[in-house]
Amino acid sequence: MRIGLQTWGSHGDVEPFLALSAELARRGHEVRLVVTTQADRHYDAPAGVTLERVGPDMTQADGDALMNRVIELSSPMAQGRLLLEEGFLVGEDAMRDAADDLVGWSDIVVRHHFLYMTRFAAEQADKPEVSVFLTPDLLPTRQHPPTGMPSFGPLQPLAWWLANRGISSVFGPPANRMRKAAGLPASRGVLTDVWPSAAANLVAVSPALHPRPADWPAHHHLTGFWVAPSTAAADIDPLLDAFLDAGDPALYATFGSMAGGSGARREADAQLLIDAAKLVGRRLILQQPAGASPPATDDVHFVVGAPHARVFGRCAAIIHHGGAGTTQTAIRAGVPSVIVPHLADQFFWAAATERMGLGYPAPARRKVTVKTLAAAISRALQMGNERVQDLAASLHAEDGVGEASAIIEAVAAQ
C-alpha cells in the first residue's frame, strides 16, 4: 500500500513517526513521512521511507524563545493558546497543502492527533485516516479525570465535558474555520471529533504503564511504546563513555524540548541541576542545547545529545521533563525517573511514575528549587530499581510499531 504519515512538533513528536514509518516500510509498504519541526533539525530517512519537511523557517532558537514565554504562564489554557498561535498556526497553510498532497497520494494516512488539516483532507477525499496519540490522557474515560483536574467519581463524564469545553475554546476555532472553508460541518468538540479518528486511534504507550480503560471504544488501541530501531545501535561519544565508566553511576539530566536554548532560563536550568546533583553527592551528565555551558568538572559532564536507549541504563536515575518518550525510555532502561514537569501531559507522567513506584516527581519547573529537586532525587534513589526493572521487562517484550502497523493495515483493508 501507499501509506502517508504526517506529524508536527519537537523531537518527541517526530521520533515515534520515524519508528512507525520504518516498520511500515520493512513490511513492504511505500511510505512517505511529512514532518513540521525546527528548520535546523536534521533527520535521516529510514530505509524505504521518503522524508519531507514542510512549514515555517522556525529554528531551534526560535522555538526556545517561544518556550521561554510559554513556561512563564501559569494557566494551561494560556500556554496552549500561545503555542497554537505562534508555534502551530504560522505553518497551518503549508501543512494543509502538504496534507492535501499526501492524502491524494496515499491509500491511508496516519497523522499526529493535532493535525486537523490531515483529517479534513482525508474526509474530503474519502480516504481512511488514523490518529496517533503519544499520551493516553486525551481520550476520555470514566476511570480517571483529565490531567490537572480532581476526580469527579461517578460524575467523571462531567469532568471530561468541562475539559472538552475548555480545550475546544482554544483549539476549536482554527479547526472549524478550516472545516467551514472546506464545506464540512462544524465539530462537536476537539476531544470528540477533531483530534481522535473515527477509524482508529493509536496510543503509543505501554499497557503495562497505563492499562487500557474498560470503557474505551474498540477503535482506541494501546499499542505499546514505539522504539526506533536505530536507537539501539547509535554510537556513544567516547568522552561520555569514559565519564560513565569513571565512577559510581551518574545522574542523567535532560529537559528535552523544554530546555532553554539560550539566555537566563538555560543558565538557571543548568545551575539548578548541577547544584541538586552536588547536594545529593552524585556525578551528573547534563544534556543541554549547543552553546556556552558552565565549565565542566570531574563531577559534571555536558552533552548536546546522546543515545538515551544506550546511556540511561548505565545511570543511577534520569532527571527529565516528563515527555512520553523520555519517560518510557527511562523505564525501558530500568532506572528511576525524577520528573520536573513543565506543562501538559508531563504532569500526567509525573503522577503515573510516582503511583507505580517508578520514580519520584519534583515540583513543577516554575516552582522547583535546588532543595526540593535534591529531595526528589534522594527519594527516587532510595526506591531502588527492582520495580522499574520489572516494568522494563514488560516494555521490552512489546512490539509497539508492529502492533500499530497491523492495525493500520487492517483499517486500510476495510
Side-chain angles (χ1 to χ4, degrees), residues 221-398:
H221 304 273
L222 273 171
T223 64
F225 186 41
W226 298 357
V227 182
S230 60
T231 59
D235 292 331
I236 300 176
D237 178 81
L239 292 176
L240 173 58
D241 197 42
F243 185 83
L244 286 163
D245 285 339
D248 291 337
L251 303 170
Y252 192 106
T254 173
F255 285 158
S257 59
M258 302 291 104
S262 60
R265 187 165 68 87
R266 183 180 190 279
E267 297 170 6
D269 283 352
Q271 205 59 58
L272 168 75
L273 294 161
I274 291 169
D275 290 347
K278 183 177 181 180
L279 197 58
V280 299
R282 288 281 183 165
R283 299 184 308 136
L284 175 70
I285 300 164
L286 177 54
Q287 179 178 317
Q288 284 198 308
S293 295
T297 68
D298 290 342
D299 295 323
V300 181
H301 182 80
F302 292 94
V303 296
V304 174
H308 291 174
R310 294 196 63 196
V311 172
F312 281 5
R314 298 169 65 183
C315 298
I318 314 302
I319 309 165
H320 59 96
H321 57 303
T326 309
T327 301
Q328 291 181 97
T329 300
I331 295 167
R332 290 182 90 248
V335 293
S337 286
V338 178
I339 295 180
V340 184
H342 291 57
L343 51 82
D345 65 297
Q346 295 161 16
F347 292 91
F348 167 84
W349 289 111
T353 54
E354 180 182 19
R355 183 178 65 252
M356 300 186 70
L358 307 174
Y360 195 80
R365 179 62 188 92
R366 291 189 305 111
K367 299 179 180 179
V368 72
T369 66
V370 171
K371 288 185 177 180
T372 56
L373 178 56
I377 295 169
S378 296
R379 289 284 298 272
L381 293 174
Q382 290 166 7
M383 286 179 170
N385 291 8
E386 183 176 350
R387 173 60 178 157
V388 69
Q389 287 175 354
D390 287 344
L391 264 292
S394 296
L395 267 68
H396 279 282
E398 297 170 355

